[in-house]
Amino acid sequence: MGKIAIFPGSFDPFTIGHESIIKRAIPLFDKIIVAIGYNSAKSGYFPLEKREKWIRAIFEEESTVSVATYEGLTAEFCKKVNAKYILRGLRTAADFEYERAIGQMNKMLDQNIETIFMLTKPEHSPISSTIVREVIRHGGDASQFVPKQIDLSK
Ligand code: ADP
């Protein structure tokens, strides 16, 4: 079956920081599933369908990268798709503290899961979906922070 990883997140929207982590992880895994987590009680800034469509377009040429959506526990979704690895990006010490707790909790929920962290490239460390949304909300041009396949105006 090979090494299957999921890259979970809200991707609201997907940024060049996310893209960079996935591209660098492609040689490490047989399959990477970009897993968009959602909460049916709380809609995101961009509709789920749009986030999914954008990510599909970005990795159209990458045969080992696929996109899925899930609700609920990430550990449960891993079981469903037979993934043993959770890929996450680390930008700052604050990310580390947050990710440490989630990673350790996921390990307690399922001993088979390993969380793999990749350090962001320095030029991507200030980029977050939250700040990109703020730029958009205030009428700024956020195009430099997202992959070229994403047209934020549509
Ligand atoms: P979440 O809603 O779970 O925080 P995000 O969509 O914000 O999800 O991020 C998904 C993953 O991508 C997380 O591991 C996060 O640390 C990582 N990430 C976010 N922005 C960047 C970036 N600029 N560079 C590298 N990794 C990033």
Side-chain angles (χ1 to χ4, degrees):
M1 194 175 300
K3 291 195 183 80
I4 304 175
I6 71 159
F7 184 54
S10 343
F11 309 115
D12 193 16
F14 194 85
T15 70
I16 55 172
H18 297 131
E19 181 185 31
S20 164
I21 295 286
I22 295 173
K23 288 207 163 148
R24 288 164 57 204
I26 286 174
L28 306 178
F29 298 102
D30 296 302
K31 191 171 162 191
I32 299 174
I33 303 167
V34 185
I36 315 174
Y38 68 93
N39 176 347
S40 48
K42 214 170 66 181
S43 62
Y45 184 81
F46 289 104
L48 186 62
E49 298 70 34
K50 205 174 211 182
R51 285 182 257 160
E52 192 178 353
K53 196 185 85 191
W54 278 332
I55 303 169
R56 267 189 223 293
I58 293 160
F59 297 102
E60 205 176 12
E61 311 274 292
E62 297 292 348
S63 59
T64 61
V65 179
S66 60
V67 187
T69 62
Y70 75 102
E71 186 169 26
L73 283 179
T74 305
E76 285 301 317
F77 182 71
C78 284
K79 264 199 209 116
K80 197 176 141 199
V81 297
N82 272 311
K84 291 211 165 46
Y85 305 95
I86 297 178
L87 177 64
R88 296 287 284 178
L90 285 181
R91 288 164 295 189
T92 59
D95 268 1
F96 173 76
E97 272 309 310
Y98 176 70
E99 296 291 343
R100 181 187 56 76
I102 299 176
Q104 290 173 336
M105 284 289 279
N106 280 330
K107 189 76 179 166
M108 287 191 269
L109 289 170
D110 185 343
Q111 290 295 323
N112 297 310
I113 294 176
E114 294 295 350
T115 304
I116 309 291
F117 296 108
M118 286 187 81
L119 288 178
T120 184
K121 284 187 173 175
E123 64 268 33
H124 293 149
S125 56
I127 301 173
S128 71
S129 299
T130 309
I131 298 177
V132 169
R133 288 196 302 273
E134 283 303 299
V135 171
I136 298 166
R137 262 194 205 109
H138 295 102
D141 177 7
S143 58
Q144 64 176 309
F145 307 120
V146 299
K148 60 179 185 314
Q149 293 88 344
I150 296 184
D151 183 350
L152 294 165
S153 66
K154 281 204 241 163

